[in-house]
Amino acid sequence: MEMAARRVRAFKRWMKREGIQCSDALELTVSATQGLSITALADLHVGDAVARIPKATCLTVITTAARDMIDAAGLDGSLGLAVAIMHERSLGEQSHWAPYLAALPEQEAIPLVWTAEEAEVLLRGTELHETVKEDRGVMLEDWKDSIEPLQDQIGSTQFESFFGFEEYLAARTLIASRSFQIDDHHHGVGMVPLADIFNHKTAAEDVHLNTSASTEGSESDTDSGSEEGNESTTSTTSSLSPTTGASTTDDVASSATDDGDDDDLEMVMVKDVKLGAEVSH
């Protein structure tokens, strides 16, 4: 627990350095059972803007140090982002996203990354058992076709440690459960620090990430099998209140563009949340 708490503190310092603004009405907490979560330190209301995240802080195929390798291999979407995650993890403390990646779980505990023995015992006789086997087969083909050929550029030792099939599956579980469609023409799908710390709530989200992805005003959450993450609506920018760190979107004007990093991503409350309650996405 102490190690996890240190990682949270390091992540908070990193966010401050990177210009990620988080409302002081939110608290990042860590527990042995739930891992990282975010709770409300004050009553939050619909329309409150509780965080602002510069696009440049997001981990994407555009921002990663592996950009040239990804471009040369012609990878994009989830494949390209998986390479970005694996590469940044291979850099350890030298990665620009080291404190952020350290705050994330190694992988999400979904059936895709269960061992064959675990899947056989827990899923035998269910439709999901066959689906998981099929999905792993597709992932293995993707890895062999798109990731394994990168070994010559990466080097055998580093490749075996950080770019193996299991590491690829781990990266894909993070993408499936935590990535967002940041925009349509520049970053595409990516990992959004802070936004992906909010635990997912199946029934309905409390807070929504506004991005410049073109969704014609619709809001849609991803489930654990989504390929492209969470799609959101046009972004707005604002200053967070010095009192609660929150502001209403009625007070701000849209500054989104589909290209580049001129616009920040903003998290806005879409439900009222009481003091002390967990805030979910």
Side-chain angles (χ1 to χ4, degrees):
M1 278 293 295
E2 179 56 33
M3 176 65 75
R6 285 201 297 269
R7 288 175 175 173
V8 170
R9 291 194 293 269
F11 176 50
K12 288 179 178 178
R13 291 193 297 270
W14 179 83
M15 286 196 295
K16 185 175 181 179
R17 289 198 305 270
E18 294 298 310
I20 296 175
Q21 298 181 32
C22 180
S23 166
D24 55 16
L26 300 178
E27 181 180 35
L28 275 70
T29 59
V30 61
S31 70
T33 54
Q34 289 187 316
L36 274 178
S37 61
I38 296 179
T39 55
L41 293 178
D43 288 346
L44 298 171
H45 306 285
V46 173
D48 286 349
V50 294
R52 192 167 65 215
I53 305 161
K55 280 188 181 181
T57 66
C58 301
L59 176 52
T60 72
V61 296
I62 298 298
T63 59
T64 177
R67 178 177 181 175
D68 290 344
M69 179 171 63
I70 293 171
D71 285 346
L75 303 179
D76 56 15
S78 295
L79 275 169
L81 183 55
V83 173
I85 293 171
M86 291 186 289
H87 179 75
E88 296 300 332
R89 280 180 161 175
S90 77
L91 297 178
E93 291 300 317
Q94 300 304 310
S95 170
H96 180 77
W97 288 272
Y100 161 61
L101 292 173
L104 295 179
E106 184 67 24
Q107 62 187 24
E108 296 294 339
I110 60 177
L112 184 64
V113 292
W114 290 356
T115 65
E117 292 76 14
E118 289 172 330
E120 183 65 28
V121 170
L122 298 172
L123 299 177
R124 182 190 309 156
T126 67
E127 291 184 7
L128 183 58
H129 190 197
E130 292 302 316
T131 300
V132 169
K133 288 196 295 185
E134 291 174 4
D135 287 347
R136 281 183 68 95
V138 172
M139 292 287 188
L140 181 57
E141 290 181 11
D142 288 342
W143 180 83
K144 287 182 176 179
D145 291 342
S146 301
I147 311 299
E148 196 172 32
L150 300 175
Q151 183 169 356
D152 291 341
Q153 299 179 57
I154 296 170
S156 297
T157 301
Q158 186 182 24
F159 184 87
E160 291 172 3
S161 299
F162 296 98
F163 291 82
F165 179 55
E166 295 304 322
E167 288 71 29
Y168 172 65
L169 282 182
R172 288 298 295 260
T173 67
L174 294 181
I175 294 168
S177 60
R178 295 176 180 268
S179 67
F180 294 85
Q181 186 73 23
I182 296 171
D183 53 33
D184 292 328
H185 308 304
H186 191 59
H187 290 281
V189 65
M191 307 299 292
V192 182
L194 182 61
D196 56 14
I197 299 299
F198 289 84
N199 286 328
H200 181 68
K201 184 166 65 176
T202 303
E205 61 185 4
D206 300 323
V207 64
H208 185 71
L209 179 70
N210 289 341
T211 75
S212 52
S214 298
T215 57
E216 298 181 355
S218 67
E219 297 180 358
S220 62
D221 282 335
T222 182
D223 59 24
S224 61
S226 169
E227 282 294 298
E228 295 300 334
N230 300 297
E231 293 187 352
S232 305
T233 55
T234 301
S235 73
T236 58
T237 58
S238 70
S239 296
L240 304 184
S241 161
T243 303
T244 65
S247 64
T248 61
T249 55
D250 291 338
D251 298 330
V252 297
S254 173
S255 63
T257 61
D258 282 341
D259 297 297
D261 298 315
D262 293 337
D263 53 318
D264 295 338
L265 309 180
E266 190 174 60
M267 301 207 74
V268 178
M269 299 301 299
V270 292
K271 285 180 62 179
D272 292 344
V273 173
K274 294 295 185 182
L275 166 67
E278 181 178 356
V279 184
S280 301
H281 185 276

